[in-house]
Amino acid sequence: MAPGDGRTVDEQFARLPKSTRRALEQKGLGLPKLREIALEDNGGRIVQHILSEYSVSSSRWDFDGDRWTEESRTVWPWLRLLLVAVVGVVLCLLSTYVLDSSALFVGAACGLAVAWAGFKTRRSVGGLAVCGVVAAAYVVLIWMGSYAADEWYLHLRGQEATVTYATPVNHGSHGIRTLYCRVKLPDGSVRQVFHNDKRCTDASVVGTKTRAVIDPSDHYRPVLGGRSDIGGTVDGYVCLGAAVLLVLAPLTAAVMSRANEVRGRRGGRSDGTAA
């Protein structure tokens, strides 16, 4: 066995994932056998072909003990960024059920994990651009979503009902007094509404009937008007666009990273064959 050939086979075999090496050994193509093949006529090309075929056919999502395969290490950081960002947004929106608009702080706390996941991606111009898009989309979703989640919920699960205008409540902050509309629900409870309308702060309408969308669980505040009056706002469309960007940006980066990896390997394989 020529020393140069032996070293080449050893190096190529050592660079394979553990699962691929195990698969080769189970097929009787372990390192000793590959060394024998390399000594034959045209053995270098045969070994190169065997290693290339097993590298391509082995699972691109295989887990080798403590490390991912090369393909997984290329794609996984972007998928991890997507997963962490989506989980952060979902946790923020769900926490509005308990914290109302203060759920923004939950989204901000989860933003630390999103920043960490972004830091773990590839540091290139394109990578930084994708991370910037994800960060901007995330901020939009937790900022607007923490204030509009209850309205979105009522659009999906709310029930239209007849309510009665109640006496508005007067709240003040920093010397500024503001009237907030309240309505009496069919069960007799009085709740402050999500948004004032043009009539609700007028004392003359107290006791008159109107339509509103109420929460069957009586957690979120009612919205005056019908269900068709909820949604279709600029905030909703902005959040929808941000959600699309949040998902598509890292997915696109993952696909492009995988494609670049494949091209790079093909180029390297062609160079090795030619040599």
Side-chain angles (χ1 to χ4, degrees):
M1 177 177 62
D5 293 340
R7 284 196 298 269
T8 300
V9 173
D10 288 356
E11 291 173 359
Q12 291 177 340
F13 191 81
R15 293 179 62 184
L16 293 173
K18 291 180 181 179
S19 60
T20 305
R21 296 200 296 267
R22 286 194 297 267
L24 285 167
E25 291 168 353
Q26 292 172 357
K27 294 290 185 180
L29 294 172
L31 183 57
K33 182 62 176 179
L34 292 176
R35 287 171 176 168
E36 293 178 9
I37 296 174
L39 293 176
E40 301 173 359
D41 292 338
N42 204 29
R45 291 179 180 272
I46 296 175
V47 170
Q48 184 74 29
H49 176 74
I50 293 173
L51 297 181
S52 299
E53 287 297 318
Y54 269 84
S55 296
V56 172
S57 62
S58 61
S59 173
R60 293 185 174 91
W61 295 98
D62 191 19
F63 189 73
D64 290 336
D66 295 329
R67 68 185 185 89
W68 293 93
T69 61
E70 194 67 32
E71 292 90 343
S72 301
R73 288 198 299 271
T74 301
V75 174
W76 170 241
W78 296 113
L79 299 182
R80 177 174 55 199
L81 175 60
L82 170 61
L83 178 63
V84 172
V86 170
V87 169
V89 172
V90 171
L91 288 177
C92 176
L93 297 182
L94 290 178
S95 62
T96 60
Y97 191 84
V98 177
L99 303 177
D100 293 327
S101 60
S102 297
L104 174 62
F105 294 105
V106 175
C110 293
L112 297 177
V114 177
W116 170 83
F119 181 77
K120 289 294 184 177
T121 58
R122 285 194 171 183
R123 300 178 187 177
S124 62
V125 176
L128 290 175
V130 171
C131 289
V133 170
V134 172
Y138 181 82
V139 170
V140 169
L141 285 171
I142 66 170
W143 186 277
M144 293 186 174
S146 60
Y147 288 96
D150 46 0
E151 194 173 14
W152 297 340
Y153 174 86
L154 289 176
H155 182 71
L156 296 175
R157 301 290 303 276
Q159 295 179 351
E160 293 188 5
T162 300
V163 298
T164 304
Y165 282 116
T167 304
V169 62
N170 195 338
H171 290 310
S173 177
H174 304 289
I176 300 176
R177 309 294 293 182
T178 304
L179 285 174
Y180 292 92
C181 179
R182 299 189 303 169
V183 294
K184 180 182 289 186
L185 304 183
D187 62 2
S189 62
V190 177
R191 295 293 304 273
Q192 183 177 317
V193 301
F194 189 73
H195 289 302
N196 288 355
D197 66 6
K198 297 179 180 179
R199 302 175 57 207
C200 68
T201 56
D202 188 346
S204 63
V205 302
V206 174
T208 61
K209 305 290 185 180
T210 188
R211 298 291 294 174
V213 180
I214 64 175
D215 179 7
S217 63
D218 197 31
H219 179 79
Y220 290 118
R221 294 174 293 168
V223 175
L224 294 173
R227 184 177 294 179
S228 60
D229 298 321
I230 303 176
T233 62
V234 174
D235 289 353
Y237 290 122
V238 170
C239 286
L240 179 61
V244 171
L245 290 176
L246 184 73
V247 173
L248 288 185
L251 283 181
T252 301
V255 171
M256 293 183 66
S257 295
R258 179 71 187 101
N260 290 337
E261 182 70 22
V262 170
R263 284 196 297 268
R265 288 197 169 196
R266 287 175 178 173
R269 191 176 304 148
S270 298
D271 294 342
T273 302

